[in-house]
Amino acid sequence: MRLSPLCKLPAVAVLLLCGVLAGCQVGYYGQAVKGHWSLMGKREPVSTVLADANTSPALAGKLRFSQQVIAFAGEALSLPADDVYHQYVALEQDAVVWNVLAAPAYSLAPKTWCYLMIGCVSYRGYFDKGRATREAEALAEDGMDTFVGGAIAYSTLGWFADPLTTPMLDRSRPALAQLLIHELVHRKVYIKDDTRFNESLATLVGREGAVDYFAHSGEPLAADYWEQREQVQDAFMAIVQATRGALKTLYASQQDEDALAREKTRILQQARDRFARDSQAQPALKAYAGFFDGRLNNARLNGVSDYNDYVPAFARLLDQCRRDWGCFWQQVDNLVAMKDTQRKQALEALAWN
């Protein structure tokens, strides 16, 4: 179970304006234009790949499965699926883009990057890993906590017909279904300046949409498959949330920097120790070992929270609608129409009720 954050790659939409804005910065946007069009230029229709005698049975099976999920998502989940993921790009690398996340050393407020038309988001995507690493190193020199994570997919929010890629297909069928539905959600709903809303919504719909797909298709899974997955995810999030809570209290304590540094180190080690204990009692939790073995800091903890913090609220909303997706999307539209503060309060109320 790899923790690979997804990426909306804001620059792709911004590049539409770059051609007419004389002052458009060419460095970051230039790599986005080049990387995106390089990827798009390698697309092949899924039907062509399936008709190729050299296509492996494993790839063909994943491609056919992806088309079944996409069709289901459009029909049953009311997601925009007509002109997306019907093409394929073969890649040898294990990520499509690399995301840079950052936060101050003693704050959980994420650094954000702002773009025309898209608004502000709490990560920056690069098609070149080296450029992402250099960006993170520069931010670290300024005293920021940073993290660079490979993303197996990105969405252009409906601007382009996004393709399937090898890294997307290199996962289990339930995880692939969840990923495809997650990405389709971003084509349906996107709020400027609210990464946590966008990603948590997509996480919930991806998860529950995949549950519905397998129930509909009749494809056999272990009887407790989804329950086990949710238990492991809940155990992981419990550690993350407890760690963030302890850090938030610490950062508000107004201690001197040396004391903050010592206590921060202790809290992060405490998270690793808890993971070691909990994974002994719940072996499936060891799938998250890479998270705790690697760089653990404010930036990486924020990335997890962006994708999960509002999931309980959206789950509650779906329960209230008795898993009727028409009702659910109407309630989501109501949240979208709210002002930022009001929407946040509504989501927090849903999560705790």
Side-chain angles (χ1 to χ4, degrees):
M1 189 179 300
R2 291 172 52 201
L3 284 175
S4 295
L6 307 178
C7 177
K8 305 298 106 37
L9 201 67
V12 170
V14 176
L15 68 86
L16 296 174
L17 293 183
C18 282
V20 295
L21 295 179
C24 187
Q25 180 182 354
V26 297
Y28 174 72
Y29 298 135
Q31 66 85 31
V33 173
K34 181 180 178 181
H36 175 70
W37 286 116
S38 175
L39 187 72
M40 298 293 277
K42 298 174 183 175
R43 294 176 298 172
E44 291 184 273
V46 167
S47 58
T48 299
V49 180
L50 289 172
D52 188 338
N54 294 319
T55 298
S56 71
L59 174 57
K62 286 291 183 71
L63 288 172
R64 292 191 185 96
F65 175 78
S66 73
Q67 301 309 286
Q68 293 164 2
V69 173
I70 294 298
F72 174 83
E75 296 168 5
L77 306 179
S78 299
L79 292 172
D82 290 341
D83 187 29
V84 63
Y85 299 131
H86 299 314
Q87 296 168 310
Y88 171 68
V89 177
L91 297 175
E92 295 183 0
Q93 61 204 41
D94 61 1
V96 180
V97 293
W98 286 264
N99 292 336
V100 177
L101 294 86
Y106 304 113
S107 171
L108 291 172
K111 175 177 172 57
T112 59
W113 290 264
C114 300
Y115 308 90
L116 296 169
M117 303 165 62
I118 298 297
C120 299
V121 295
S122 58
Y123 48 80
R124 193 164 201 177
Y126 288 86
F127 280 95
D128 180 80
K129 185 178 182 179
R131 295 193 64 158
T133 301
R134 290 192 293 274
E135 169 81 359
E137 289 173 348
L139 290 167
E141 289 177 1
D142 290 336
M144 304 284 280
D145 279 5
T146 65
F147 177 71
V148 176
I152 59 175
Y154 74 89
S155 170
T156 58
L157 307 179
W159 287 97
F160 300 95
D162 302 327
L164 297 163
T165 65
T166 307
M168 294 175 68
L169 299 180
D170 187 21
R171 54 207 291 111
S172 69
R173 288 161 77 92
L176 175 55
Q178 192 167 338
L179 169 64
L180 291 171
I181 295 169
H182 179 119
E183 290 302 310
L184 290 176
V185 172
H186 292 307
R187 299 172 72 89
K188 184 179 181 72
V189 178
Y190 181 83
I191 300 179
K192 292 174 65 174
D193 306 328
D194 200 338
T195 300
R196 193 153 294 179
F197 177 95
N198 296 327
E199 297 300 350
S200 293
L201 172 64
T203 294
L204 182 280
V205 178
R207 185 184 76 192
E208 297 304 319
V211 171
D212 285 2
Y213 170 79
F214 279 89
H216 167 81
S217 70
E219 183 170 337
L221 291 174
D224 60 350
Y225 179 85
W226 297 110
E227 181 181 356
Q228 290 293 325
R229 278 179 62 107
E230 189 166 353
Q231 287 178 356
V232 172
Q233 175 72 9
D234 287 348
F236 168 67
M237 286 304 301
I239 301 174
V240 170
Q241 289 168 347
T243 304
R244 281 174 55 83
L247 290 173
K248 184 177 180 180
T249 299
L250 170 66
Y251 298 154
S253 67
Q254 298 183 337
Q255 298 182 51
D256 64 69
E257 188 167 325
D258 287 343
L260 289 173
R262 287 193 301 271
E263 186 64 8
K264 177 181 178 181
T265 298
R266 187 193 67 80
I267 290 171
L268 295 178
Q269 184 57 49
Q270 187 177 51
R272 292 187 173 98
D273 293 343
R274 177 176 172 180
F275 169 75
R277 292 194 305 273
D278 290 358
S279 60
Q280 290 298 315
Q282 192 172 1
L285 187 59
K286 293 178 182 178
Y288 290 98
F291 181 87
F292 293 97
D293 291 344
R295 177 178 295 183
L296 189 57
N297 60 25
N298 297 335
R300 196 166 196 193
L301 290 167
N302 282 343
V304 173
S305 292
D306 281 343
Y307 280 77
N308 293 279
D309 270 11
Y310 292 152
V311 166
F314 288 119
R316 177 65 174 164
L317 207 59
L318 187 60
D319 286 344
Q320 289 178 353
C321 286
R322 299 183 180 181
R323 296 191 72 86
D324 180 295
W325 288 101
C327 168
F328 176 80
W329 289 120
Q330 181 57 60
Q331 296 305 311
V332 170
D333 286 343
N334 293 341
L335 289 169
V336 171
M338 295 178 183
K339 294 183 178 179
D340 292 348
T341 301
Q342 182 184 13
R343 181 168 57 250
K344 182 177 180 180
Q345 291 173 345
L347 288 166
E348 290 175 349
L350 279 166
W352 289 104
N353 287 339

